[in-house]
Amino acid sequence: MCGIIGYIGNKNAYPILINGLKRLEYRGYDSAGISIINEDLRVFKKQGKVSDLENYISDKDISGTIGIGHTRWATHGEPNDINAHPHTSEYGHFVIIHNGIIENYSILKSKLIDRGYSFSSETDTEVLANLIEYIYLKGKVTAEVAVRLALTKVVGAYGLVIICRDEPDKLIAARKGSPLVIGIGEDEYFLASDATPIVEYTKSVIYLNNDDVAILKKDELILKTIKNENLVPKVHKLDLDIGAIEKNGFTHFMLKEIFEQPRSIQDTFRGRISPDLKDLRLGGLFDIMPRLLAANRIIIIGCGTSWHAGLVGEYLFEDLARLPVEVEYASEFRYRNPLIGKDDVVIAISQSGETADTLAAIQLAKDAGALVLGICNVVGSSIPRETDGGVYTHAGPEIGVASTKAFTAQVTVLAMMAILIGQKKGVLSEADFEGLLDELNQIPAKMEYLLTFNDKYKEIAELYQKANNFLYLGRGYFFPVALEGALKLKEISYIHAEGYPAAEMKHGPIALIDQNMPVVVIAVKDKSYEKIVSNIQEVKARNGIVIAIVSEGDEIIKGMADHVLEIPHADEKIASLLAVVPLQLLSYHIAVLRGCDVDQPRNLAKSVTVE
Ligand code: G6P
């Protein structure tokens, strides 16, 4: 949450900052602001989106080659101009942008008030700005020392970039919990919450670790810990293509990402499944495979869509590897007193690799001695660096706030992991193993075909765009798909939607069904097909509207549902990959028809770095 950008070099900073903020806007869009060192330290900030800031700045003097920018997802204080970042310290010595939460801010604030400081915003960030300034003036120390000393007094999470008016040749950055990446150019450095604003300028990056502080001049980088221990920067090469973070002719990132799924799934198993389907290699599990095979149980943790993928994973590991599995919301797991043993394997699923609750749950599992693995999309993010091993999804950057291709890539990884463990444990015969890999291999082509029915999903969206409620039903592997379909609709169209296991409908939601209630039923041919046919009849008997996702050629449900959307046949264990696509597109079209901001739905953020 919150996007951070910084530049120091010889170029005009403003275009780099504003374009960077546009790339980072998925992280929050309540307000935006920039600060540029000109003759003085200038700050411009505005409630609303980056485009509002751009309009506001259009007639201002923004020349300068050093600057910082921020796009906010509000935590402390409502979204308005005053609470927008950057924040300036009371006497104007420091300007600061921050992603994260300073948890002890109220104690620090009252101490600063006792010492004569006053505050104009409601934010925790202004407290930090004033704390740094207080230490700087009182201790007569350098800006760097003041920042480091202030950070030793702070409890919480931060990604920070700071400018000191009296030392206008440098940026100071620090990280704990919230991500920061430094891009290395020629006589220039870039700073950002992720690599997307940097990739068009350089592919050489340094990922800051917790408790790192970086002092950047245009031709010098010093990296140290907050305790003043010098560090040797480790430079990584970005494997990211600029095309991957642009819309490429699609009206929205979400639509582009839905249509990318055949390719992103292919990328997820590329180089892992051998062409003859006899071999499956997951390099990130190689070293820890003996522990994985000896596991007592698997605990899957995640949030939002990643948690839904985890539910599909539960069925997969049970079916294919005969392993007991529990799936937990990271936020609940971390605050319970969960029983975790050394023989447990914890799998953390996260698109961003930065979700605060998931990171905290990982720490809990590590402390208990469990083997901890990650399934993440963003290479170099915190979760892959905190875990003992894992598998990247390789879906490419996902910019639309509502997750689509990350979900199908996560399910693909979970399927590969379950197939591999099943084979190694002797649960799957060679024929089963090859058969499942073959099924997986066929998914991209089947999905490509499914996407050709986009107009049909749009027609249905036109019919039901004004509904106030939707119900989504599924059984077995398709219950998590029902949850995911409902979440997609809620997130982007603001229509209330619930996902339910189809049989549970009788224990509550059936009371809601009337002639105005669209019920989306995932009713593809699997072992509970007859049961779900009965559930459809129960809905129809109460005049509900049934939109059924069915297997190609299904005539039975065609005769009873109001609408059928066919998907190609696939093994039920991986057919969730196909069944979710019509639901993604249905939500997308409904949201567009309702005039909603599909890529940046209200109140949400893509990367939730606060608990
Ligand atoms: C936010 C996003 C969701 C995402 C969830 C978990 O709520 O809007 O799309 O599923 O966070 O994020 P993660 O990066 O851990 O998968």
Side-chain angles (χ1 to χ4, degrees):
M1 336 212 93
C2 298
I4 283 186
I5 177 91
Y7 176 76
I8 183 162
N10 295 315
K11 297 192 183 108
N12 214 355
Y14 178 71
I16 297 168
L17 299 177
I18 207 81
N19 289 335
L21 289 181
K22 285 179 189 163
R23 296 233 191 273
L24 292 170
E25 205 168 13
Y26 72 88
R27 299 177 68 88
Y29 29 84
D30 290 334
S31 62
I34 60 162
S35 175
I36 292 195
I37 301 180
N38 197 294
E39 272 150 29
D40 199 359
L41 197 46
R42 297 169 154 242
V43 175
F44 307 95
K45 47 192 200 173
K46 208 74 213 127
Q47 179 182 346
K49 302 211 163 175
V50 174
S51 53
D52 297 310
L53 175 71
E54 216 175 358
N55 291 337
Y56 169 66
I57 283 180
S58 57
D59 57 350
K60 313 273 189 305
D61 174 10
I62 35 80
S63 56
T65 60
I66 304 174
I68 57 179
H70 185 274
T71 177
R72 177 171 188 243
W73 188 86
T75 57
H76 293 66
E78 63 176 270
N80 59 28
D81 293 355
I82 294 173
N83 288 330
H85 297 219
H87 286 282
T88 307
S89 58
E90 183 153 14
Y91 302 106
H93 292 278
F94 290 91
V95 166
I96 154 171
I97 51 174
H98 170 215
N99 167 207
I101 291 185
I102 307 301
E103 286 167 14
N104 59 339
Y105 85 104
S106 60
I107 302 171
L108 295 171
K109 188 170 180 174
S110 36
K111 284 189 180 161
L112 286 163
I113 290 171
D114 290 347
R115 284 161 180 76
Y117 267 88
S118 60
F119 291 83
S120 48
S121 81
E122 302 152 86
T123 65
D124 51 340
T125 306
E126 192 188 10
V127 175
L128 188 53
N130 281 341
L131 177 64
I132 294 170
E133 187 179 71
Y134 173 74
I135 294 172
Y136 175 74
L137 293 176
K138 181 106 186 126
K140 297 196 174 54
V141 290
T142 61
E144 177 211 320
V145 173
V147 169
R148 284 194 288 100
L149 287 178
L151 292 181
T152 59
K153 308 206 177 309
V154 154
V155 178
Y158 50 79
L160 292 170
V161 189
I162 300 157
I163 301 178
C164 176
R165 188 182 64 190
D166 316 318
E167 300 179 22
D169 60 339
K170 63 174 73 110
L171 296 177
I172 302 174
R175 179 218 159 129
K176 184 175 191 176
S178 307
L180 268 185
V181 187
I182 297 175
I184 308 167
E186 213 161 290
D187 284 339
E188 60 182 0
Y189 289 100
F190 304 83
L191 267 160
S193 300
D194 69 37
T196 54
I198 294 177
V199 65
E200 61 192 279
Y201 308 105
T202 175
K203 298 231 161 176
S204 301
V205 296
I206 297 163
Y207 298 104
L208 289 196
N209 288 315
N210 284 340
D211 294 326
D212 282 3
V213 177
I215 302 102
L216 301 162
K217 292 186 179 171
K218 66 178 183 180
D219 49 7
E220 184 186 45
L221 160 67
I222 297 171
L223 193 64
K224 47 174 72 174
T225 66
I226 60 169
K227 293 191 183 133
N228 203 22
E229 296 144 336
N230 283 323
L231 297 167
V232 179
K234 199 166 161 208
V235 180
H236 297 259
K237 281 280 161 229
L238 280 180
D239 181 19
L240 184 62
D241 171 21
I242 183 79
I245 52 174
E246 294 187 331
K247 283 191 199 147
N248 292 343
F250 284 90
T251 37
H252 295 97
F253 279 112
M254 182 181 178
L255 188 63
K256 175 194 166 216
E257 287 156 7
I258 293 171
F259 273 80
E260 268 175 356
Q261 290 178 108
R263 187 206 44 78
S264 55
I265 290 177
Q266 189 98 51
D267 286 347
T268 295
F269 57 65
R270 189 187 310 281
R272 291 167 165 166
I273 299 177
S274 68
D276 63 2
L277 306 176
K278 295 207 180 300
D279 200 13
L280 172 57
R281 283 174 197 215
L282 298 173
L285 302 183
F286 193 76
D287 291 342
I288 41 89
M289 191 48 87
R291 265 185 92 184
L292 194 47
L293 294 178
N296 260 345
R297 132 186 109 138
I298 290 182
I299 303 169
I300 300 179
I301 51 175
C303 303
T305 290
S306 296
W307 182 78
H308 293 160
L311 289 177
V312 181
E314 177 179 20
Y315 291 83
L316 285 163
F317 283 115
E318 282 179 2
D319 256 354
L320 304 177
R322 302 304 294 144
L323 269 169
V325 183
E326 283 167 35
V327 187
E328 305 270 2
Y329 286 114
S331 54
E332 287 296 312
F333 182 75
R334 63 178 287 201
Y335 285 117
R336 286 210 319 267
N337 191 8
L339 294 167
I340 317 166
K342 293 195 175 15
D343 296 327
D344 289 330
V345 172
V346 172
I347 303 179
I349 307 181
S350 173
Q351 187 286 129
S352 62
E354 300 292 349
T355 302
D357 282 319
T358 311
L359 272 161
I362 287 172
Q363 197 51 53
L364 187 76
K366 277 167 81 173
D367 293 345
L371 176 71
V372 185
L373 307 178
I375 298 179
C376 295
N377 195 38
V378 178
V379 176
S381 56
S382 300
I383 293 177
R385 292 189 291 138
E386 292 294 326
T387 42
D388 301 307
V391 184
Y392 277 118
T393 42
H394 294 316
E398 191 180 65
I399 313 277
V401 165
S403 186
T404 51
K405 65 175 179 171
F407 173 79
T408 47
Q410 288 163 345
V411 171
T412 303
V413 166
L414 287 160
M416 288 193 293
M417 284 176 76
I419 294 169
L420 185 63
I421 298 169
Q423 180 215 30
K424 291 203 180 292
K425 281 174 76 100
V427 178
L428 296 178
S429 67
E430 280 312 304
D432 292 338
F433 175 79
E434 283 177 36
L436 284 161
L437 290 187
D438 186 31
E439 282 281 341
L440 209 47
N441 220 12
Q442 290 181 38
I443 290 287
K446 289 179 182 172
M447 203 182 261
E448 202 78 71
Y449 170 69
L450 193 53
L451 288 166
T452 63
F453 295 98
N454 187 25
D455 286 347
K456 178 120 200 236
Y457 311 138
K458 196 167 168 193
E459 276 167 29
I460 295 182
E462 274 159 7
L463 294 174
Y464 300 110
Q465 54 167 305
K466 298 221 162 70
N468 291 322
N469 298 287
F470 264 74
L471 189 59
Y472 287 72
L473 302 176
R475 304 179 78 116
Y477 281 95
F478 305 105
F479 161 52
V481 176
L483 292 178
E484 178 59 10
L487 177 63
K488 287 292 87 89
L489 190 69
K490 257 187 287 223
E491 281 179 308
I492 60 170
S493 73
Y494 319 139
I495 296 176
H496 171 248
E498 277 192 66
Y500 246 79
E504 274 293 304
M505 172 184 69
K506 291 192 279 299
H507 302 286
I510 199 162
L512 303 171
I513 292 172
D514 61 14
Q515 67 284 3
N516 300 316
M517 173 73 120
V519 183
V520 179
V521 189
I522 304 130
V524 302
K525 290 247 166 75
D526 66 358
K527 55 178 173 295
S528 47
Y529 176 74
E530 277 77 27
K531 306 282 174 208
I532 203 134
V533 169
S534 309
N535 298 138
I536 291 176
Q537 278 165 336
E538 287 154 13
V539 175
K540 283 315 299 174
R542 282 146 189 96
N543 294 324
I545 304 153
V546 172
I547 303 163
I549 313 295
V550 301
S551 303
E552 225 168 8
D554 184 323
E555 292 300 325
I556 299 173
I557 296 180
K558 207 177 263 174
M560 47 179 99
D562 298 82
H563 311 277
V564 290
L565 299 172
E566 295 188 335
I567 64 166
H569 288 273
D571 188 309
E572 66 168 302
K573 297 178 200 65
I574 53 165
S576 58
L577 291 168
L578 299 175
V580 75
V581 174
L583 307 191
Q584 295 169 338
L585 281 166
L586 187 63
S587 307
Y588 170 79
H589 290 303
I590 290 177
V592 171
L593 289 161
R594 288 166 70 98
C596 298
D597 189 341
V598 171
D599 282 336
Q600 293 174 351
R602 70 183 179 206
N603 304 339
L604 296 175
K606 184 136 196 82
S607 184
V608 182
T609 53
V610 296
E611 29 173 306

